[in-house]
Amino acid sequence: MLIKKSDDIPGSEITDEKLYNNRRKFLRGAMLAGSVGATGWLYRTLNRPGDTKPQSAENDPAGEIAAGEIAEGYRTPEGEPANTFEEIANYNNFYEFSTSKQAVAVRAKNFITRPWTVEVSGLVHKPKTFDIDDLLKLAPLEERVYRFRCVEAWSMVIPWMGFPLRALIDAVEPLGEARYVKFITLYDPKRMPNQTTSVLPWPYIEGLRLDEARHPLTLLATGLYGRDLPPQNGAPVRLVAPWKYGFKGVKSIVQIVFVRDKPGTTWADYAPNEYGFYANVNPQVDHPRWSQKRERRIGEWSMRKTLPFNGYADQVASLYSGMDLNRQF
Ligand SMILES: Nc1nc2c(c(=O)[nH]1)N[C@H]1C(S)=C(S)[C@@H](COP(=O)(O)O)O[C@H]1N2
Ligand SMILES: [Mo]
């Protein structure tokens, strides 16, 4: 993982609240209109142009409006406008397609995500293989605007669509011995071309402690900006735990397994001196090769201060009482 330092030029900030509320109104309107044409118009109207050749929402093959509600308490944070669709969909980490963030969208463009199943197994009373469209019916889709902080010290604000992972956990009824949840990405080198290389061990695996997985902030995300996830962002379903570094947010999940012991996870096993299992955002603990005190918000020039737990400390710090947070990346 590389890092680029940006110059310390103060950036002009867009008034978030007003802009977001407008977006929200437009989003509602577009959902009512319910047509791809209206959606294209929505993104042309609201989004700042991207700086590289952007994939626009308009030519996104999955260009459908997903149903959505904005849950109270999940608005864009003060002074932090949501990143544009173009930014979110054209600057990606998804090593199965490319290690170049700007190349992922192009390489993933024709990644087919229907049909798709997610097998949920392990220490549960009701193991089940869900068809993706049944999985989507487990709970109403909500829009959650979350900060997203990559361990490489860049960040975004992303309006996800999805539902709390807890709804799935409740549906399969974990056994008392289940203490961790393991999430596995698709392994199919024909469809994920970089899996023919050994840049990482495949498949990509991540995990959460069961209480983290049940936390109300933890999402299974199936969309962003009110539409299906683009392939490069982890279609058709990926994990989002906004207080953790981005690599915990495993993409294109095909298997979820409830286990007794802490599972091995891709980055923590690959470079244990650099990445940990917990990976809670912590400005006090530098990465061995760079500082984690500040971050570059994509679309801005000056660096922002990184917040403990990425700004979600009030909601999640109690999960870690008694743990030495400075020993968990
Ligand atoms: N399967 C898989 N999931 C993954 C990754 C990956 O390479 N493969 N990269 C992770 C990293 S490092 C980050 S920062 C986020 C990036 O998500 P985004 O491209 O939607 O912003 O996905 C995470 N999930
Ligand atoms: Mo990342």
Side-chain angles (χ1 to χ4, degrees):
M1 295 194 193
L2 296 172
I3 180 151
K4 273 192 228 157
K5 277 245 165 90
S6 68
D7 297 325
D8 217 16
I9 303 162
S12 63
E13 278 180 3
I14 297 165
T15 359
D16 58 298
E17 187 89 50
K18 205 171 144 207
L19 179 65
Y20 182 66
N21 285 334
N22 281 338
R23 271 185 181 156
R24 213 185 142 187
K25 255 188 242 154
F26 281 122
L27 199 59
R28 280 265 159 80
M31 277 194 273
L32 290 175
S35 80
V36 175
T39 324
W41 170 82
L42 172 72
Y43 292 106
R44 282 195 303 278
T45 307
L46 296 177
N47 288 330
R48 291 171 273 157
D51 42 18
T52 52
K53 274 185 205 150
Q55 176 181 338
S56 68
E58 239 175 305
N59 59 31
D60 174 2
E64 269 171 41
I65 291 274
E69 285 279 311
I70 299 166
E72 286 305 318
Y74 297 103
R75 307 288 168 77
T76 310
E78 179 82 25
E80 302 184 48
N83 282 90
T84 64
F85 181 90
E86 282 74 13
E87 287 164 340
I88 298 164
N90 290 282
Y91 190 80
N92 303 100
N93 274 328
F94 202 167
Y95 278 24
E96 285 84 341
F97 291 98
S98 174
T99 53
S100 155
K101 283 184 259 297
Q102 285 84 358
V104 170
V106 176
R107 298 240 180 112
K109 201 174 168 178
N110 298 317
F111 181 59
I112 308 287
T113 57
R114 292 290 191 290
W116 190 277
T117 56
V118 181
E119 184 194 310
V120 188
S121 61
L123 302 172
V124 294
H125 286 288
K126 296 180 170 171
K128 184 172 172 175
T129 298
F130 290 87
D131 183 80
I132 185 67
D133 295 307
D134 296 330
L135 191 83
L136 287 170
K137 287 178 199 140
L138 277 174
L141 293 184
E142 299 171 19
E143 183 171 45
R144 299 280 190 92
V145 188
Y146 285 162
R147 292 187 199 88
F148 180 91
R149 170 60 156 85
C150 175
V151 75
E152 298 163 328
W154 56 267
S155 66
M156 299 206 205
V157 172
I158 304 182
W160 299 108
M161 303 292 305
F163 62 87
L165 174 61
R166 182 152 70 173
L168 171 74
I169 297 175
D170 290 345
V172 297
E173 299 176 15
L175 302 174
E177 309 100 272
R179 290 175 54 227
Y180 292 89
V181 193
K182 178 174 153 180
F183 304 84
I184 307 174
T185 294
L186 175 71
Y187 176 71
D188 186 347
K190 289 201 182 75
R191 292 159 71 196
M192 296 182 141
N194 228 29
Q195 285 179 334
T196 58
T197 75
S198 50
V199 63
L200 279 180
W202 311 111
Y204 193 102
I205 296 174
E206 260 308 333
L208 293 174
R209 220 168 53 193
L210 185 58
D211 59 340
E212 298 177 318
R214 298 182 68 100
H215 192 280
L217 283 176
T218 307
L219 286 192
L220 280 179
T222 60
L224 58 88
Y225 267 117
R227 54 198 302 130
D228 288 347
L229 275 182
Q232 61 269 34
N233 294 96
V237 61
R238 59 94 55 87
L239 183 68
V240 176
W243 69 97
K244 292 178 176 288
Y245 289 119
F247 69 85
K248 296 297 289 182
V250 47
K251 294 175 167 182
S252 305
I253 297 167
V254 291
Q255 232 188 314
I256 300 177
V257 191
F258 291 73
V259 293
R260 188 190 317 261
D261 300 316
K262 188 165 88 181
T265 54
T266 298
W267 279 108
D269 288 0
Y270 184 72
N273 54 324
E274 303 195 359
Y275 310 105
F277 175 83
Y278 283 93
N280 294 317
V281 175
N282 187 344
Q284 299 311 314
V285 179
D286 289 340
H287 185 278
R289 292 183 280 133
W290 58 80
S291 165
Q292 295 291 27
K293 288 191 172 48
R294 292 157 79 74
E295 66 201 49
R296 187 170 71 90
R297 179 66 48 83
I298 300 304
E300 297 179 356
W301 284 106
S302 56
M303 303 282 278
R304 285 177 178 266
K305 266 190 172 171
T306 289
L307 304 170
F309 294 105
N310 204 23
Y312 300 97
D314 288 355
Q315 290 152 86
V316 300
S318 63
L319 291 172
Y320 309 103
S321 54
M323 271 176 62
D324 180 358
L325 293 170
N326 293 338
R327 301 200 59 192
Q328 311 292 341
F329 293 121

